[in-house]
Amino acid sequence: MNDWQSWAAVVVFVGAYALIISEKIHRVAVALGGAGLMLAIGATDDKSAFYSEHSGIDWNVIFLLMGMMMIVGVLKQTGMFEYLAIWSVKRARAKPFRVMAMLVVITAVASALLDNVTTVLLIAPVTLLVCERLALPTVPFLIAEVMASNIGGTATLVGDPPNIIIASRAGLTFNDFLVHLAPIVVVLVAALLALCRVMFRKSFVYDGDRAAEIMALEEREAIKDRTLLVQGLVVLVLVVAGFVLHPVLHYEPSVVALLGAGLLIAVSKAETGEVLKEVEWPTLAFFAGLFIMIGGLIETGVIGEVSKALADAIGDNELGGSMTMLGASAVLSGIVDNIPYVATMAPITSDLVQNMGGGSGHVMWWALALGADLGGNATAIGASANVVVLGIAERNRQPISFWQFTKYGLVVTGVTVTLALAYVWLRYFALG
């Protein structure tokens, strides 16, 4: 960081981050403006910004979101989400906390099997309808679910994009993630439920009249187009299968999502224009700008310097190193999106593991995964799923501010990271 461009890139990123936090300028305008400044000062260029896998826009994330948003747009026309909303409320006896607990658990499990972004795209519409039916505030439920998605996605290779990067670099399998991370994820989901009971206690107001109205409804009557529903569900099952079979098929999730969206529009009577209206274009634009800004930090060597400083601090001390890796990754992933952070840290972690004489299942990899995945809950832009939910909430006139999300995110991240640190110490050092 000896040249002016490195310091200029830091100033642009910090300034943009401050504006996003202040919310005086819309976050999409800030992200695109920051991206433009990164290009203007030469921190990155058009080739890196648009074509580099390492420091450019992550088109896999963009097109995964676009494809799944299109599929969700078609499914909305069927009445499926109304059906699921009524069904879930009736199973929870219309008790607000029971409803939240059910949605949190479903979100966590689904995020482990799919990925957290896809899951929140499917669960959020149900949540909006549930809260509308029960006259409950939407924001606490959406925040709880996105945090559950980030925690649940930690459990498997496909659950969170950083895990895919780690698995590729370390040679880890789907079962490796299940064995090493699923046990602590179960504990963390239980901890999240306990925290939600306390943090959102004022939101759990039971309305007997509305509850009685919903309990009297027949959820099957909510289905508007059964043919389209069958077509949509068949395509959704195929897409999910494509996600799960990624290690075998080697199709990127973005390709699977786009193929599914194209197939569904082709075989159904859904209007292409209407489906495209359901795409959260501002959210995609925000991601593009954010990736370019972070790419500027990568190209100028800023993130590399931070990563090397972390590696130097760790040295060959396994216990201290894994604790530092987990804690520092949680902090850094809350500031920058965890995908580019892990992409930068993965080769450095590989070198650390080799210096320590470890193999593919070394504790440092699990420390990196836990820190990056759980740290994503800390702020409103710490993980892709967070940004998606903020976009959905804003579109439905239920905006979630940066600080509204972050004040809960910091609490949840603090508790879950502390539990993860204890787990790593107990499993890999105390019990060996």
Side-chain angles (χ1 to χ4, degrees):
M1 285 184 60
N2 295 323
D3 60 294
W4 70 270
Q5 286 177 323
S6 299
W7 290 106
V10 171
V11 170
V12 169
F13 184 81
V14 171
Y17 205 90
L19 286 174
I20 290 172
I21 292 173
S22 71
E23 299 185 323
K24 292 181 178 179
I25 302 176
H26 196 281
R27 63 179 180 274
V28 176
V30 174
L32 293 178
L37 285 174
M38 286 291 191
L39 290 163
I41 65 175
T44 186
D45 56 28
D46 58 324
K47 290 183 180 179
S48 297
F50 303 127
Y51 303 111
S52 172
E53 291 185 12
H54 178 59
S55 60
I57 296 173
D58 192 331
W59 295 110
N60 281 317
V61 172
I62 300 293
F63 286 113
L64 167 64
L65 288 170
M66 181 178 171
M68 291 310 301
M69 286 172 179
M70 292 170 70
I71 293 172
V72 169
V74 174
L75 290 174
K76 273 186 178 180
Q77 300 175 21
T78 68
M80 185 185 87
F81 296 122
E82 288 88 342
Y83 173 94
L84 292 173
I86 296 169
W87 179 88
S88 60
V89 170
K90 289 175 74 172
R91 293 301 174 277
R93 311 301 296 175
K95 298 295 179 65
F97 179 67
R98 289 186 187 178
V99 172
M100 179 180 279
M102 176 184 288
L103 292 172
V104 162
V105 172
I106 290 172
T107 301
V109 173
S111 293
L113 298 175
L114 305 175
D115 66 85
N116 50 13
V117 172
T118 300
T119 300
V120 295
L121 282 169
L122 294 171
I123 296 292
V126 178
T127 304
L128 291 165
L129 290 166
V130 166
C131 292
E132 181 184 346
R133 292 276 188 177
L134 292 176
L136 293 170
T138 305
V139 172
F141 284 78
L142 290 176
I143 290 175
E145 286 164 13
V146 74
M147 291 182 181
S149 75
N150 289 327
I151 293 172
T154 305
T156 66
L157 186 155
V158 299
D160 210 357
N163 291 5
I164 298 173
I165 298 171
I166 291 170
S168 175
R169 173 65 67 165
L172 298 167
T173 66
F174 190 92
N175 288 337
D176 288 331
F177 277 85
L178 275 180
V179 170
H180 289 271
L181 299 185
I184 183 59
V185 166
V186 173
V187 175
L188 297 180
V189 171
L192 175 64
L193 285 172
L195 288 171
C196 287
R197 189 72 180 90
V198 176
M199 294 189 303
F200 305 126
R201 59 188 179 278
K202 294 181 180 178
S203 302
F204 304 130
V205 179
Y206 179 74
D207 187 326
D209 293 335
R210 283 184 174 267
E213 288 177 11
I214 296 179
M215 296 302 292
L217 292 175
E218 177 53 56
E219 52 264 42
R220 292 183 181 180
E221 295 177 2
I223 301 299
K224 303 169 187 173
D225 189 329
R226 294 183 184 278
T227 301
L228 185 58
L229 176 62
V230 172
Q231 293 170 332
L233 288 177
V234 169
V235 169
L236 184 61
V237 169
L238 290 174
V239 169
V240 171
F243 290 159
V244 175
L245 294 174
H246 170 73
V248 178
L249 301 175
H250 303 295
Y251 286 128
E252 290 296 328
S254 56
V255 175
V256 174
L258 286 176
L259 285 172
L263 176 63
L264 183 54
I265 292 174
V267 302
S268 70
K269 296 179 181 179
E271 291 281 345
T272 305
E274 292 299 314
V275 174
L276 289 174
K277 286 180 183 178
E278 294 297 326
V279 175
E280 301 280 345
W281 298 109
T283 300
L284 300 186
F286 177 81
F287 272 119
L290 186 63
F291 281 132
I292 292 174
M293 282 200 296
I294 294 171
L297 296 180
I298 293 172
E299 287 292 318
T300 54
V302 174
I303 289 182
E305 287 291 329
V306 173
S307 301
K308 288 177 182 176
L310 177 59
D312 291 340
I314 290 171
D316 58 0
N317 181 347
E318 287 195 16
L319 174 58
S322 58
M323 298 292 110
T324 302
M325 175 68 80
L326 201 161
S329 295
V331 172
L332 293 170
S333 291
I335 298 171
V336 299
D337 189 276
N338 54 14
I339 296 173
Y341 168 73
V342 169
T344 303
M345 277 304 300
I348 294 172
T349 305
S350 179
D351 291 340
L352 286 171
V353 170
Q354 288 182 357
N355 292 339
M356 294 176 185
S360 63
H362 195 272
V363 62
M364 292 297 291
W365 290 116
W366 308 123
L368 175 61
L370 284 167
D373 294 344
L374 299 178
N377 275 332
T379 69
I381 61 172
S384 302
N386 307 8
V387 179
V388 171
V389 166
L390 261 63
I392 293 172
E394 183 176 15
R395 184 168 186 168
N396 287 273
R397 297 187 177 88
Q398 301 284 343
I400 303 172
S401 72
F402 182 94
W403 285 115
Q404 192 174 15
F405 183 100
T406 303
K407 71 179 181 181
Y408 297 117
L410 290 174
V411 173
V412 171
T413 301
V415 172
T416 54
V417 168
T418 299
L419 290 171
L421 287 167
Y423 171 77
V424 168
W425 173 78
L426 185 65
R427 174 162 182 170
Y428 300 101
F429 298 98
L431 300 179

